[in-house]
Short mmCIF file of all heavy atoms in Angstrom, two decimals:
data_model
loop_
_atom_site.label_atom_id
_atom_site.label_comp_id
_atom_site.label_asym_id
_atom_site.label_seq_id
_atom_site.Cartn_x
_atom_site.Cartn_y
_atom_site.Cartn_z
N ALA A 1 0.83 -1.22 0.01
CA ALA A 1 -0.03 -0.03 0.00
C ALA A 1 0.86 1.25 0.03
O ALA A 1 1.97 1.24 0.56
CB ALA A 1 -0.92 0.05 1.22
N MET A 2 0.33 2.32 -0.60
CA MET A 2 1.01 3.61 -0.59
C MET A 2 -0.02 4.65 -0.13
O MET A 2 -1.20 4.50 -0.35
CB MET A 2 1.61 3.95 -1.95
CG MET A 2 2.68 3.07 -2.41
SD MET A 2 3.51 3.61 -3.91
CE MET A 2 4.49 4.93 -3.29
N GLY A 3 0.51 5.68 0.54
CA GLY A 3 -0.40 6.68 1.01
C GLY A 3 0.26 8.02 1.32
O GLY A 3 1.46 8.18 1.14
N TRP A 4 -0.56 8.94 1.75
CA TRP A 4 -0.10 10.28 2.10
C TRP A 4 -0.55 10.63 3.54
O TRP A 4 -1.69 10.39 3.93
CB TRP A 4 -0.68 11.35 1.15
CG TRP A 4 -0.16 11.23 -0.27
CD1 TRP A 4 -0.69 10.54 -1.28
CD2 TRP A 4 1.03 11.87 -0.74
NE1 TRP A 4 0.09 10.64 -2.40
CE2 TRP A 4 1.19 11.48 -2.11
CE3 TRP A 4 2.00 12.70 -0.17
CZ2 TRP A 4 2.20 11.95 -2.89
CZ3 TRP A 4 3.04 13.13 -0.99
CH2 TRP A 4 3.14 12.73 -2.32
N TYR A 5 0.37 11.15 4.29
CA TYR A 5 0.13 11.65 5.64
C TYR A 5 0.45 13.14 5.62
O TYR A 5 1.18 13.63 4.73
CB TYR A 5 0.99 10.94 6.65
CG TYR A 5 0.63 9.48 6.93
CD1 TYR A 5 0.85 8.52 6.00
CD2 TYR A 5 0.07 9.13 8.17
CE1 TYR A 5 0.54 7.20 6.25
CE2 TYR A 5 -0.27 7.82 8.45
CZ TYR A 5 -0.04 6.86 7.46
OH TYR A 5 -0.40 5.56 7.72
N ARG A 6 -0.06 13.84 6.63
CA ARG A 6 0.29 15.25 6.74
C ARG A 6 0.44 15.63 8.21
O ARG A 6 -0.16 15.03 9.11
CB ARG A 6 -0.72 16.18 6.05
CG ARG A 6 -2.12 16.23 6.78
CD ARG A 6 -3.10 17.04 5.91
NE ARG A 6 -4.41 17.17 6.55
CZ ARG A 6 -5.48 17.67 5.95
NH1 ARG A 6 -5.35 18.11 4.70
NH2 ARG A 6 -6.63 17.74 6.57
N GLN A 7 1.23 16.63 8.44
CA GLN A 7 1.48 17.12 9.80
C GLN A 7 1.50 18.66 9.82
O GLN A 7 2.37 19.29 9.16
CB GLN A 7 2.82 16.59 10.36
CG GLN A 7 3.06 16.92 11.79
CD GLN A 7 4.25 16.13 12.37
OE1 GLN A 7 5.06 15.63 11.61
NE2 GLN A 7 4.26 16.01 13.66
N ALA A 8 0.59 19.26 10.53
CA ALA A 8 0.52 20.69 10.70
C ALA A 8 1.34 21.06 11.89
O ALA A 8 1.54 20.29 12.78
CB ALA A 8 -0.94 21.16 10.78
N PRO A 9 1.78 22.35 11.96
CA PRO A 9 2.61 22.80 13.11
C PRO A 9 1.86 22.53 14.41
O PRO A 9 0.68 22.91 14.56
CB PRO A 9 2.78 24.30 12.83
CG PRO A 9 2.71 24.45 11.36
CD PRO A 9 1.64 23.41 10.93
N GLY A 10 2.54 21.94 15.38
CA GLY A 10 1.95 21.68 16.69
C GLY A 10 1.01 20.55 16.73
O GLY A 10 0.40 20.30 17.79
N LYS A 11 0.85 19.81 15.67
CA LYS A 11 -0.09 18.69 15.64
C LYS A 11 0.61 17.38 15.26
O LYS A 11 1.70 17.38 14.72
CB LYS A 11 -1.25 19.01 14.65
CG LYS A 11 -2.15 20.15 15.07
CD LYS A 11 -3.33 20.29 14.17
CE LYS A 11 -4.21 21.42 14.61
NZ LYS A 11 -5.43 21.58 13.73
N GLN A 12 -0.12 16.25 15.48
CA GLN A 12 0.48 14.96 15.15
C GLN A 12 0.28 14.65 13.64
O GLN A 12 -0.58 15.21 12.97
CB GLN A 12 -0.26 13.89 15.94
CG GLN A 12 0.01 13.93 17.47
CD GLN A 12 -0.67 12.80 18.24
OE1 GLN A 12 -1.79 12.41 17.86
NE2 GLN A 12 0.01 12.25 19.21
N ARG A 13 1.14 13.78 13.14
CA ARG A 13 1.01 13.31 11.77
C ARG A 13 -0.17 12.42 11.64
O ARG A 13 -0.37 11.47 12.45
CB ARG A 13 2.30 12.57 11.38
CG ARG A 13 2.34 12.20 9.90
CD ARG A 13 3.67 11.51 9.58
NE ARG A 13 4.78 12.39 9.83
CZ ARG A 13 6.05 12.06 9.49
NH1 ARG A 13 6.33 10.88 8.93
NH2 ARG A 13 7.02 12.92 9.78
N VAL A 14 -1.02 12.68 10.67
CA VAL A 14 -2.25 11.88 10.46
C VAL A 14 -2.35 11.42 9.02
O VAL A 14 -1.80 11.98 8.10
CB VAL A 14 -3.53 12.74 10.83
CG1 VAL A 14 -3.51 13.11 12.30
CG2 VAL A 14 -3.59 13.99 9.97
N LEU A 15 -3.11 10.35 8.85
CA LEU A 15 -3.31 9.78 7.51
C LEU A 15 -4.29 10.68 6.74
O LEU A 15 -5.30 11.07 7.24
CB LEU A 15 -3.90 8.35 7.66
CG LEU A 15 -4.34 7.74 6.31
CD1 LEU A 15 -3.13 7.42 5.48
CD2 LEU A 15 -5.12 6.45 6.58
N VAL A 16 -3.93 10.97 5.51
CA VAL A 16 -4.80 11.69 4.57
C VAL A 16 -5.54 10.74 3.68
O VAL A 16 -6.76 10.80 3.51
CB VAL A 16 -3.99 12.73 3.74
CG1 VAL A 16 -4.90 13.43 2.77
CG2 VAL A 16 -3.30 13.74 4.67
N ALA A 17 -4.77 9.86 3.00
CA ALA A 17 -5.35 8.91 2.07
C ALA A 17 -4.37 7.77 1.81
O ALA A 17 -3.18 7.97 1.90
CB ALA A 17 -5.76 9.57 0.76
N SER A 18 -4.88 6.63 1.47
CA SER A 18 -4.03 5.50 1.13
C SER A 18 -4.73 4.64 0.08
O SER A 18 -5.93 4.69 -0.09
CB SER A 18 -3.71 4.63 2.40
OG SER A 18 -4.91 4.05 2.91
N VAL A 19 -3.91 3.86 -0.63
CA VAL A 19 -4.44 2.96 -1.64
C VAL A 19 -3.62 1.69 -1.64
O VAL A 19 -2.37 1.72 -1.54
CB VAL A 19 -4.44 3.59 -3.04
CG1 VAL A 19 -3.04 4.06 -3.44
CG2 VAL A 19 -5.03 2.68 -4.05
N THR A 20 -4.25 0.54 -1.68
CA THR A 20 -3.54 -0.78 -1.71
C THR A 20 -3.24 -1.16 -3.12
O THR A 20 -3.68 -0.58 -4.08
CB THR A 20 -4.42 -1.88 -1.10
OG1 THR A 20 -5.53 -2.12 -1.90
CG2 THR A 20 -4.87 -1.44 0.30
N SER A 21 -2.40 -2.19 -3.23
CA SER A 21 -2.07 -2.71 -4.58
C SER A 21 -3.29 -3.23 -5.30
O SER A 21 -3.27 -3.25 -6.56
CB SER A 21 -1.01 -3.83 -4.41
OG SER A 21 -1.49 -4.88 -3.67
N GLY A 22 -4.30 -3.58 -4.60
CA GLY A 22 -5.57 -4.01 -5.22
C GLY A 22 -6.53 -2.92 -5.55
O GLY A 22 -7.58 -3.19 -6.15
N GLY A 23 -6.21 -1.69 -5.23
CA GLY A 23 -7.05 -0.55 -5.58
C GLY A 23 -7.96 -0.06 -4.50
O GLY A 23 -8.75 0.90 -4.72
N THR A 24 -7.92 -0.67 -3.34
CA THR A 24 -8.81 -0.21 -2.23
C THR A 24 -8.25 1.13 -1.65
O THR A 24 -7.11 1.17 -1.30
CB THR A 24 -8.83 -1.24 -1.12
OG1 THR A 24 -9.35 -2.52 -1.64
CG2 THR A 24 -9.75 -0.81 0.04
N THR A 25 -9.15 2.14 -1.54
CA THR A 25 -8.77 3.47 -1.04
C THR A 25 -9.33 3.70 0.31
O THR A 25 -10.41 3.18 0.71
CB THR A 25 -9.20 4.53 -2.04
OG1 THR A 25 -10.59 4.49 -2.19
CG2 THR A 25 -8.49 4.35 -3.38
N ASN A 26 -8.67 4.62 1.03
CA ASN A 26 -9.09 5.02 2.35
C ASN A 26 -8.79 6.50 2.49
O ASN A 26 -7.66 6.94 2.14
CB ASN A 26 -8.42 4.20 3.42
CG ASN A 26 -8.89 4.56 4.81
OD1 ASN A 26 -10.10 4.81 5.02
ND2 ASN A 26 -7.97 4.61 5.78
N TYR A 27 -9.74 7.31 3.01
CA TYR A 27 -9.60 8.75 3.13
C TYR A 27 -9.96 9.20 4.56
O TYR A 27 -10.86 8.68 5.19
CB TYR A 27 -10.48 9.50 2.13
CG TYR A 27 -10.15 9.27 0.68
CD1 TYR A 27 -10.80 8.30 -0.04
CD2 TYR A 27 -9.17 10.06 0.05
CE1 TYR A 27 -10.47 8.08 -1.38
CE2 TYR A 27 -8.88 9.88 -1.27
CZ TYR A 27 -9.55 8.88 -2.00
OH TYR A 27 -9.28 8.68 -3.32
N ALA A 28 -9.25 10.26 4.97
CA ALA A 28 -9.67 10.93 6.19
C ALA A 28 -10.96 11.65 5.91
O ALA A 28 -11.21 12.14 4.82
CB ALA A 28 -8.59 11.96 6.62
N ASP A 29 -11.80 11.75 6.91
CA ASP A 29 -13.12 12.40 6.77
C ASP A 29 -12.98 13.82 6.28
O ASP A 29 -13.82 14.35 5.53
CB ASP A 29 -13.91 12.37 8.07
CG ASP A 29 -14.39 10.98 8.43
OD1 ASP A 29 -14.49 10.15 7.53
OD2 ASP A 29 -14.73 10.78 9.62
N SER A 30 -11.95 14.52 6.71
CA SER A 30 -11.77 15.93 6.39
C SER A 30 -11.44 16.20 4.93
O SER A 30 -11.58 17.32 4.46
CB SER A 30 -10.64 16.48 7.27
OG SER A 30 -9.41 15.82 7.04
N VAL A 31 -11.07 15.15 4.17
CA VAL A 31 -10.72 15.33 2.76
C VAL A 31 -11.61 14.58 1.80
O VAL A 31 -11.40 14.70 0.57
CB VAL A 31 -9.27 14.94 2.52
CG1 VAL A 31 -8.33 15.71 3.46
CG2 VAL A 31 -9.02 13.45 2.64
N LYS A 32 -12.51 13.81 2.32
CA LYS A 32 -13.43 13.07 1.43
C LYS A 32 -14.21 14.01 0.50
O LYS A 32 -14.74 15.02 0.89
CB LYS A 32 -14.39 12.25 2.25
CG LYS A 32 -13.81 11.04 2.93
CD LYS A 32 -14.86 10.25 3.74
CE LYS A 32 -14.19 9.01 4.42
NZ LYS A 32 -15.21 8.29 5.19
N GLY A 33 -14.24 13.60 -0.75
CA GLY A 33 -14.91 14.44 -1.78
C GLY A 33 -14.05 15.50 -2.38
O GLY A 33 -14.43 16.09 -3.38
N ARG A 34 -12.90 15.77 -1.75
CA ARG A 34 -12.02 16.84 -2.24
C ARG A 34 -10.69 16.28 -2.80
O ARG A 34 -10.14 16.77 -3.77
CB ARG A 34 -11.73 17.84 -1.16
CG ARG A 34 -12.92 18.57 -0.65
CD ARG A 34 -12.59 19.75 0.29
NE ARG A 34 -11.88 19.26 1.45
CZ ARG A 34 -10.63 19.66 1.77
NH1 ARG A 34 -9.99 20.50 1.02
NH2 ARG A 34 -10.08 19.20 2.89
N PHE A 35 -10.15 15.23 -2.14
CA PHE A 35 -8.89 14.65 -2.48
C PHE A 35 -9.15 13.29 -3.19
O PHE A 35 -10.06 12.55 -2.80
CB PHE A 35 -7.99 14.41 -1.30
CG PHE A 35 -7.49 15.68 -0.67
CD1 PHE A 35 -7.96 16.95 -1.02
CD2 PHE A 35 -6.52 15.62 0.30
CE1 PHE A 35 -7.51 18.10 -0.44
CE2 PHE A 35 -6.05 16.77 0.94
CZ PHE A 35 -6.48 17.98 0.56
N THR A 36 -8.24 12.92 -4.09
CA THR A 36 -8.30 11.64 -4.79
C THR A 36 -6.89 11.07 -4.81
O THR A 36 -5.97 11.70 -5.34
CB THR A 36 -8.84 11.73 -6.19
OG1 THR A 36 -10.18 12.29 -6.14
CG2 THR A 36 -8.92 10.36 -6.83
N ILE A 37 -6.74 9.81 -4.34
CA ILE A 37 -5.43 9.13 -4.40
C ILE A 37 -5.53 8.09 -5.51
O ILE A 37 -6.53 7.45 -5.74
CB ILE A 37 -5.09 8.48 -3.04
CG1 ILE A 37 -3.66 8.02 -3.05
CG2 ILE A 37 -6.05 7.35 -2.67
CD1 ILE A 37 -3.14 7.56 -1.64
N SER A 38 -4.38 7.92 -6.18
CA SER A 38 -4.34 6.92 -7.26
C SER A 38 -2.93 6.41 -7.42
O SER A 38 -1.95 7.07 -7.08
CB SER A 38 -4.84 7.54 -8.56
OG SER A 38 -4.03 8.64 -8.95
N ARG A 39 -2.81 5.22 -7.96
CA ARG A 39 -1.55 4.62 -8.33
C ARG A 39 -1.29 4.83 -9.76
O ARG A 39 -2.16 4.76 -10.63
CB ARG A 39 -1.52 3.13 -8.06
CG ARG A 39 -1.68 2.74 -6.57
CD ARG A 39 -0.45 3.05 -5.74
NE ARG A 39 0.63 2.15 -6.06
CZ ARG A 39 0.86 0.95 -5.40
NH1 ARG A 39 0.05 0.54 -4.50
NH2 ARG A 39 1.90 0.18 -5.78
N GLY A 40 -0.03 5.09 -10.14
CA GLY A 40 0.36 5.31 -11.48
C GLY A 40 0.51 3.97 -12.23
O GLY A 40 0.41 2.92 -11.61
N ASP A 41 0.71 4.06 -13.53
CA ASP A 41 0.95 2.81 -14.32
C ASP A 41 2.17 2.09 -13.78
O ASP A 41 2.20 0.83 -13.75
CB ASP A 41 1.14 3.17 -15.76
CG ASP A 41 -0.11 3.65 -16.43
OD1 ASP A 41 -1.20 3.32 -15.91
OD2 ASP A 41 -0.05 4.30 -17.44
N ALA A 42 3.19 2.84 -13.36
CA ALA A 42 4.31 2.30 -12.69
C ALA A 42 3.93 1.88 -11.28
O ALA A 42 3.28 2.67 -10.56
CB ALA A 42 5.50 3.27 -12.68
#
């Protein structure tokens, strides 16, 4: 799986989005509908 995390000043690092090799995606509630994660052809 590959994903993106983010960390704002003074806050903990949190998961933004992830995607497995099989194409299953997961998003933080705060970014649903706005962010899209995808795997490249590579």
Side-chain angles (χ1 to χ4, degrees):
M2 297 188 74
W4 293 91
Y5 289 71
R6 69 186 182 189
Q7 186 169 22
K11 296 186 177 181
Q12 294 183 320
R13 186 177 300 183
V14 297
L15 174 69
V16 176
S18 65
V19 58
T20 68
S21 60
T24 301
T25 58
N26 183 41
Y27 296 93
D29 289 339
S30 60
V31 306
K32 287 181 179 178
R34 299 189 298 120
F35 291 9
T36 302
I37 190 169
S38 61
R39 298 286 289 271
D41 291 336

